[in-house]
Amino acid sequence: MMLMAGLLVTACASKPKAEQTEEPAKKVLVLYYSVTNTTKQMAEYIQQKTGADIEAIQTVDAYPTDYNELIKRSSAEREGNVLPELKPFAHNVADYDVIFFGYPLWFATYAQPLKTVIASGVLNGKTVVPFCTSGSSGIKQSVNDLKNALPTAQIPECVGVRSSLMDKMPAAVDRVLINLGLMEGKNEVLADYSAQQAPTADETAIFDAAISTYSMMNGTKAVSVGSRTTSKGTDYKFVGEANGAKMDVYITKENGDAAPYFTAVDR
Ligand SMILES: Cc1cc2nc3c(=O)[nH]c(=O)nc-3n(C[C@H](O)[C@H](O)[C@H](O)COP(=O)(O)O)c2cc1C
């Protein structure tokens, strides 16, 4: 589908009117991989909001949906640097200017089948907008990996959502689409986090409550914290520590009685 998009169409606002030319509309494709359909929900939401074309990446040999089996195969492929063979795409990726590229995080980076797409070269020189779902990890490392793997692509702001927070996915996606000029609307300007300092007892309680919902965070301690006030409540950026390893843990406490929740852990 052809899209007219603020950021994606150069409006030439500073040129005299006679010289103003609108660039051709950009073609946008949502290309995603998903085993248990979480990333699929996000892909379909992006497709609905943008009217873009959409395609699911499919491997010739489908991955098992059983978690342990999936871990076993994907670990072996990761260690052996195996690129799984893909079924041919229905869409010709070369025809598109902007590719929303969606994936579940596997071992903190994009899932193995995405590596096959990258290696094929079809994303070279494109605008690639990553999006992902995960258990707890933030999107950051996968975006760094993507930038290294696709040095000729433009990779603008992106978004990751935890699978247990899919009710918050539409708002997170809308924010990115507005920033990209793909959706009407105005985003709240968010302040920087305040400087990191030792957490108060209340902040430590917020940290402990937020991570208590996720067993893999057991034993993680809050070391320091910065915060910012938003229209919804307070966002915290904690530095946490477990087994000598430090990580950034992003937590939101909305106004009212709702429990705090963590949105991402960047290790
Ligand atoms: C092989 C494998 C590795 C995973 N690695 C991570 C990880 O490093 N960090 C994380 O937060 N979640 C991890 N997860 C959880 C998935 O990212 C999460 O469940 C995702 O939402 C699944 O997306 P899907 O339903 O679209 O397949 C992993 C899951 C699998 C199966």
Side-chain angles (χ1 to χ4, degrees), residues 214-235:
Y214 198 69
S215 61
M216 285 169 78
M217 293 293 283
N218 281 353
T220 310
K221 300 275 171 246
V223 176
S224 63
V225 63
S227 64
R228 67 182 176 201
T229 305
T230 72
S231 60
K232 281 192 178 162
T234 307
D235 288 341

Side-chain angles (χ1 to χ4, degrees), residues 222-264:
V223 176
S224 63
V225 63
S227 64
R228 67 182 176 201
T229 305
T230 72
S231 60
K232 281 192 178 162
T234 307
D235 288 341
Y236 298 91
K237 180 181 177 180
F238 281 91
V239 173
E241 186 168 0
N243 303 319
K246 289 202 170 150
M247 66 202 87
D248 292 332
V249 184
Y250 294 87
I251 292 177
T252 294
K253 170 79 182 82
E254 292 180 6
N255 296 325
D257 294 338
Y261 54 89
F262 75 92
T263 54

Side-chain angles (χ1 to χ4, degrees), residues 27-246:
K27 284 192 77 182
V28 182
L29 176 68
V30 179
L31 184 64
Y32 73 97
Y33 181 69
S34 182
V35 179
T36 45
N37 293 339
T38 322
T39 313
K40 182 182 183 196
Q41 286 175 49
M42 201 166 166
E44 289 177 345
Y45 183 79
I46 295 170
Q47 191 280 326
Q48 282 163 23
K49 286 287 170 161
T50 60
D53 293 333
I54 187 164
E55 168 124 19
I57 297 164
Q58 292 178 290
T59 52
V60 171
D61 180 12
Y63 282 79
T65 47
D66 174 78
Y67 185 74
N68 290 332
E69 290 297 314
L70 182 52
I71 293 277
K72 207 164 128 187
R73 174 168 162 192
S74 53
S75 305
E77 287 185 344
R78 179 167 166 260
E79 280 155 28
N81 225 356
V82 175
L83 300 182
E85 191 184 343
L86 304 183
K87 292 187 181 172
F89 294 149
H91 297 84
N92 183 6
V93 180
D95 292 344
Y96 293 86
D97 308 290
V98 179
I99 320 289
F100 279 86
F101 199 43
Y103 46 88
L105 282 188
W106 285 3
F107 313 109
T109 195
Y110 39 82
Q112 203 70 13
L114 284 279
K115 296 183 185 171
T116 311
V117 181
I118 292 166
S120 76
V122 293
L123 298 178
N124 293 350
K126 304 283 183 191
T127 297
V128 177
V129 188
F131 64 96
C132 76
T133 66
S134 72
S136 63
S137 312
I139 195 171
K140 200 167 143 191
Q141 182 182 323
S142 68
V143 173
N144 288 339
D145 293 344
L146 210 49
K147 287 181 175 169
N148 287 331
L150 287 170
T152 62
Q154 289 177 52
I155 303 185
E157 183 181 324
C158 48
V159 62
V161 176
R162 292 184 58 217
S163 56
S164 60
L165 297 179
M166 287 302 278
D167 57 324
K168 308 195 186 304
M169 177 273 287
V173 169
D174 288 355
R175 195 174 164 84
V176 172
L177 295 181
I178 291 169
N179 274 346
L180 290 174
L182 286 166
M183 207 179 113
E184 296 279 316
K186 206 160 181 279
N187 279 329
E188 179 178 356
V189 178
L190 299 174
D192 290 337
Y193 289 94
S194 59
Q196 290 284 316
Q197 55 188 18
T200 62
D202 282 353
E203 288 166 337
T204 299
I206 285 170
F207 180 88
D208 291 345
I211 66 160
S212 70
T213 56
Y214 198 69
S215 61
M216 285 169 78
M217 293 293 283
N218 281 353
T220 310
K221 300 275 171 246
V223 176
S224 63
V225 63
S227 64
R228 67 182 176 201
T229 305
T230 72
S231 60
K232 281 192 178 162
T234 307
D235 288 341
Y236 298 91
K237 180 181 177 180
F238 281 91
V239 173
E241 186 168 0
N243 303 319
K246 289 202 170 150

